[in-house]
Amino acid sequence: LCSLLLGGSLLMMAPVFQVCRTPPLSSSSSGVVVVRHNFNSAHRRFHSRMHRHVTSAAASSGSASGSVEKKKLWGGRFTGATDPLMEQFNESLSVDRRMWREDIVGSQAYARALAKAGVITNEEADTLCTGLDEVAKEWETDSFVVCDGDEDIHTANERRLSEIVGPVGGKLHTGRSRNDQVATDTRLYLVNRLKATRAMLHELIEVACARAEKESDVLMPAFTHLQNAQPVRWSHWLLSHASAWQRDDQRLNDLIPRVATLPLGSGALAGNAFGVDRQAIAKELGFVGGVCPNSMDAVSDRDFVCETLFWASLLGVHLSRWSEDLIIYGSGPFAMVKFADAYATGSSLMPQKKNPDALELLRGKSARVMGNLTTMLTVLKGLPTTYNKDLQEDKEALFDALDTTDACLQIASGVLATTEIVPERMMAGLSEDMLATDIAEYLVRRGVPFRETHHIAGAAVALSEERGVSLGNLTVDDYKSLNENFGDDVLEVFDFGRSADSRDTEGGSSTRSVLEQVDKLRAYLKTAS
């Protein structure tokens, strides 16, 4: 069948299938040939032609002496050939092959559990585990050969295991379904990925801490509604985003135990009939959340995928807002920061342009991650209880979000570490109208109720606008004409550094408070690592 299809019809199928090579999915897996379907007007012609080849090939293989038909894991009750288009539509190995290691580790733990339960002998378990080690070596060395019928990573590994160890390989799947197997692999893979992602997030927070500590005295304007608001320190702005990233880290830490909950031993949906010790398996595999409490829920639960996608989406929102701030601060009218060449590009027409593409892509890719969350929620919302093949769609959304998030975190760290600040431009962005609140607070310290001082400060702003001067260029007598509680020292209010340092409460913009925030964040990172 394979020779007939490859020799006689693959070229004719070109309008239907576009073959391309994707990048390696991990450091230990080579690129995989993926066939993308082009459902155009020629589909029906080639579909019919493929059916004729399948029928002919099936007839030939049935009459060939000594031929052995490869059996699918689920093929016992099927007698007809599978539509080749369906083969491609159904396969997931091009996506889930990156879980080869987790599939092998989970299978080894399950083999030992079968031996412990007396289902297989210890010698058989050792044979299975040794054979699985051989399969792992092939993946590690990029020598694993994918064969027809390897529709997913579980099928591929079990097929190769049986080729290595013989009939005993068929005992590995005793009491196990791909339903609980794939859920276990995905959770195990995700836990490992999230730990690596968390380390990248910690690095980004540390970069923010290092810059905040080094540049703690630099003043800059802060905005509400993108209008001038109050003077703060650049370090305070940095730490405002680091605080959001800290919450992201806390959510991730809270999420991991729910991901690390073991479905293995749930079978297809009703549980395992051979008494395997699920708690022991969970302990061996490092599932700190224990075991899934209900087998029907265990095989269909993808809450952990949705939670991960939501976590990544919210992190994306935070990175996007940070990016937007820097894009604005780096634009011509502001020019408060300069971006390194490593994270910027130029214009194909305008030679003077230096575009913050890294930040714009961070802003854009957050939408991509949110789209993956929407995909997964939509897949789940109409599914009947337990496993349905729709759930196969979880991994493309999940893996894409993980890869995108990791790339975003590394790019964000690079941008933050290399962006140059322009303190002179930051100071130039400060204006004395940003100290109107300080005028109100001056009177509060002299016993005037704040609601009154707010109106008095507003009157001072109106007076300065009427005269066409800044608040600091009004005279002491001008202020005394607005309220008798103004003293001769009122003009001392017009000091941007003093204004920032007056907000010396915990979490405020004073230098002392900023450095305290740095210390607290670093202490958090030590306990969180």
Side-chain angles (χ1 to χ4, degrees), residues 62 73 90 104 128 179 229 386 423:
L73 294 182
N90 185 53
I104 287 172
L128 291 171
N179 296 357
T386 77

Side-chain angles (χ1 to χ4, degrees), residues 22 106 304:
T22 64
F304 68 97

Side-chain angles (χ1 to χ4, degrees), residues 15 21 69 253 286 293-294 334 347 355 359 368 375 411 455 516:
R21 182 165 293 278
E69 181 183 358
N253 183 58
N294 181 281
F334 288 83
S347 166
N355 300 323
L359 294 167
R368 175 174 176 164
T375 294
I411 290 295
H455 290 293
E516 180 181 71

